[in-house]
Amino acid sequence: MADAPALLTLPAAPAKAARHAALHSDATRARRPAGRARRPQALGIDVARQIEALILAGTLRAGERLNEVALARSLGVSRGPVREAARALEKTGLVTVIMNRGAFVRTLSLDEAMEIYEINAALFGLAAARAATLLVPAQGLVLRMMVDAMDRTIAHGNRDGFFQLNSDFHAFILACSRNREAAVLYRQLTHKLMLLRRRSFERPGHMQTANREHRALMEAILRGEAAQARSLAEAHAQRGRARFLHAIGHAAQDGTISEETP
């Protein structure tokens, strides 16, 4: 890996006017009905969620400055809630606030992203092993429904739907592990990667491969095989890293990329 970490950005953005139009359209759809009063704190949370959705959808790109005036106008609020939302999103890792310069959508270096993938593999393995011993039948049913639903999104070519279900599947296994600290840490780290992880499913066959791994992991958890579940979960996270590297055109350092190449 190069001495100076390469900065990762989202795909090339559309024209500025188009992005502002998309921002306005997305934000308008997310507004509450007119006339419903919101407390200041609730308003700040609501605005933070709407800005988060714009970031995750790619309307606001990595490294882009959050224009308080434009966001306030499109969201139908004053600049105060937008500023408050930026501070809240900084805590989640999606936004960086720089003194006297403003708030920017966070940019990760390749090195930092790889470190997060490595930590998440260990956390996900721990969670899967615990879930295999603690799972109740109702939770097992939910896991199976999620994997089946992902197969359907793949069949329909719905990459956004697959991405959301994939995120929910991982989060649910963390919840089933009943280790609150591990779940909080995993969520914080995964949030930082959210802008990048969508890239993992851009290449043909990546969604299908990922869901085969999901199904194998689910079956191990349902059988109560903790050691196997841990091994499969860690391998799935490592292959997810390989899929991401493949998607952005980087060669894998550990040889796993070649296994994912269509």
Side-chain angles (χ1 to χ4, degrees):
M1 190 170 291
D3 293 335
L7 292 181
L8 302 176
T9 60
L10 291 181
K16 185 175 181 181
R19 286 195 292 103
H20 283 178
L23 185 154
H24 179 76
S25 176
D26 291 347
T28 300
R29 285 195 296 269
R31 289 182 193 171
R32 295 171 182 260
R36 178 182 289 183
R38 288 173 289 181
R39 292 174 298 175
Q41 184 178 11
L43 177 60
I45 294 172
D46 189 30
V47 171
R49 287 174 178 163
Q50 293 182 63
I51 294 176
E52 178 182 20
L54 293 170
I55 293 173
L56 298 182
T59 306
L60 295 171
R61 298 173 294 126
E64 183 173 351
R65 185 176 182 275
L66 300 186
N67 186 319
E68 287 184 4
V69 175
L71 283 168
R73 184 182 301 116
S74 64
L75 298 175
V77 297
S78 65
R79 294 173 63 179
V82 174
R83 196 172 299 118
E84 180 184 341
R87 288 194 293 267
L89 291 172
E90 183 180 31
K91 296 177 182 178
T92 72
L94 277 182
V95 166
T96 299
V97 177
I98 301 176
M99 184 75 70
N100 299 323
R101 289 189 58 196
F104 298 81
V105 180
R106 198 170 188 272
T107 302
L108 286 180
S109 72
L110 183 58
D111 285 342
E112 186 176 3
M114 295 302 99
E115 289 169 359
I116 292 174
Y117 269 111
E118 185 176 10
I119 296 170
N120 275 2
L123 289 172
F124 194 48
L126 168 68
R130 286 178 56 85
T133 63
L134 298 171
L135 202 75
V136 299
Q139 292 172 326
L141 179 61
V142 171
L143 280 178
R144 190 173 295 281
M145 290 172 62
M146 285 181 170
V147 173
D148 290 343
M150 279 186 274
D151 274 339
R152 291 192 292 273
T153 63
I154 292 170
H156 288 90
N158 183 359
R159 185 156 56 93
D160 287 341
F162 179 86
F163 179 79
Q164 184 59 59
L165 284 167
N166 172 74
S167 298
D168 292 344
F169 177 80
H170 286 236
F172 189 68
I173 289 177
L174 265 293
C176 292
S177 74
R178 304 184 199 174
N179 186 321
R180 183 178 178 279
E181 293 302 317
V184 169
L185 179 57
Y186 184 87
R187 182 170 62 251
Q188 290 173 342
L189 292 172
T190 301
H191 219 66
K192 292 181 180 180
L193 289 175
M194 201 64 76
L195 287 170
L196 310 177
R197 289 174 68 219
R198 288 178 184 271
R199 299 292 304 272
S200 301
F201 305 119
E202 288 181 353
R203 294 293 184 95
H206 279 191
M207 290 190 294
Q208 290 88 336
T209 301
N211 210 37
R212 284 196 296 270
E213 294 166 11
H214 290 156
R215 191 171 293 279
L217 172 58
M218 175 197 70
E219 296 293 355
I221 291 174
L222 294 182
R223 291 193 302 267
E225 297 176 356
Q228 179 72 355
R230 181 191 293 267
S231 177
L232 289 171
E234 290 178 353
H236 173 64
Q238 291 161 359
R239 289 170 182 155
R241 179 182 64 179
R243 277 185 284 272
F244 168 68
L245 288 171
H246 182 208
I248 65 172
H250 282 262
Q253 304 244 332
D254 55 5
T256 50
I257 280 291
S258 60
E259 299 174 9
E260 301 298 330
T261 305

